[in-house]
Amino acid sequence: GQNIDQPTEMTATEGAIVQINCTYQTSGFNGLFWYQQHAGEAPTFLSYNVLDGLEEKGRFSSFLSRSKGYSYLLLKELQMKDSASYLCAVRDRGSSNTGKLIFGQGTTLQVKP
Amino acid sequence: EPEVTQTPSHQVTQMGQEVILRCVPISNHLYFYWYRQILGQKVEFLVSFYNNEISEKSEIFDDQFSVERPDGSNFTLKIRSTKLEDSAMYFCASSDYEQFFGPGTRLTVL
């Protein structure tokens, strides 16, 4: 089966650093994605990991450990506009290699002044 | 920057009516997807489409749903007889490797 877990809610202070964790179990792992989603809007691509290690992209970094089924998204120098839901998604290889994404429930991050 | 577009942005329909949701994927992408998100819930995979045919579909994608790529640019999702529980945001996505999502169509079934 497939299961993706991430915390439901987090709160952090403007200018701080926050880490959003994600654990997963999937039958055919083919990469892990992080998306940002503001209320009522579409998911926006943030980062992608297929190999173990850290990928850095400006204020955002994402880490993957395939052996532990674990990833995190690190947001630095938090800004008020970072208040949003952060979605962890695993690309499932599946039987036909279609690359469908399996999403977690999302972590709602509230940034406070 | 290329983007996925979707029309309409909002669709209100009566239960039992047919709806067609439209998407224009990014032009050089080969894989297309429909996802839905019921209010307050997670994004769920519906169907993937490659080489002019369905490559995978979820349990949600029953006989009431169909997809089509009628020409070289449009990708449509049809719901033949809508139910109340079909009310959701429907997102189209396309990919070459990363998946990019369209802005979504909010479907409300009354």
Side-chain angles (χ1 to χ4, degrees):
Chain A
Q2 296 151 337
N3 192 42
I4 299 173
D5 288 315
Q6 48 182 135
T8 305
E9 295 179 343
M10 298 183 73
T11 303
T13 305
E14 192 176 15
I17 299 172
V18 71
Q19 178 174 313
I20 303 174
N21 296 323
C22 173
T23 58
Y24 65 89
Q25 295 108 36
T26 185
S27 53
F29 178 83
N30 193 20
L32 189 140
F33 293 75
W34 284 95
Y35 285 84
Q36 181 190 62
Q37 187 179 32
H38 286 97
E41 298 183 10
T44 304
F45 171 79
L46 290 178
S47 71
Y48 164 68
N49 296 71
V50 66
L51 300 176
D52 292 351
L54 188 68
E55 293 284 339
E56 296 188 79
K57 208 173 182 182
R59 293 191 300 116
F60 297 83
S61 304
S62 57
F63 172 83
L64 175 67
S65 169
R66 288 171 295 170
S67 62
K68 296 181 179 178
Y70 168 70
S71 173
Y72 67 72
L73 179 70
L74 196 70
L75 293 77
K76 303 175 187 174
E77 301 170 13
L78 280 173
Q79 302 174 10
M80 298 299 291
K81 67 178 183 179
D82 296 329
S83 293
S85 285
Y86 291 85
L87 314 183
C88 174
V90 171
R91 182 161 59 197
D92 179 41
R93 189 182 299 277
S95 59
S96 56
N97 199 23
T98 61
K100 70 180 182 187
L101 295 179
I102 308 298
F103 282 85
Q105 190 71 25
T107 298
T108 300
L109 173 65
Q110 185 178 19
V111 180
K112 294 186 173 179
Chain B
E1 185 174 326
E3 58 182 17
V4 178
T5 59
Q6 290 185 243
T7 54
S9 56
H10 294 85
Q11 176 86 52
V12 180
T13 190
Q14 295 290 326
M15 189 170 57
Q17 295 296 304
E18 175 182 286
V19 295
I20 297 176
L21 310 183
R22 292 181 166 79
C23 169
V24 179
I26 294 172
S27 61
N28 62 337
H29 286 180
L30 300 178
Y31 295 88
F32 314 120
Y33 308 84
W34 284 100
Y35 294 84
R36 78 171 187 190
Q37 187 176 31
I38 295 170
L39 186 65
Q41 298 187 21
K42 63 183 178 181
V43 177
E44 300 175 289
F45 168 77
L46 292 178
V47 65
S48 58
F49 193 86
Y50 171 72
N51 200 26
N52 285 321
E53 61 183 20
I54 291 174
S55 47
E56 188 173 359
K57 57 185 180 181
S58 72
E59 292 176 353
I60 303 168
F61 195 89
D62 61 22
D63 292 343
Q64 295 300 312
F65 291 85
S66 62
V67 290
E68 202 174 39
R69 188 158 163 83
D71 53 44
S73 60
N74 290 287
F75 180 49
T76 62
L77 174 69
K78 180 192 292 185
I79 310 175
R80 289 188 185 83
S81 179
T82 50
K83 303 186 286 287
L84 295 176
E85 53 265 37
D86 293 328
S87 295
M89 282 287 284
Y90 287 82
F91 294 110
C92 173
S94 71
S95 77
D96 50 2
Y97 202 68
E98 301 158 3
Q99 281 191 30
F100 295 93
F101 283 73
T105 295
R106 180 173 298 281
L107 176 65
T108 302
V109 182
L110 303 176

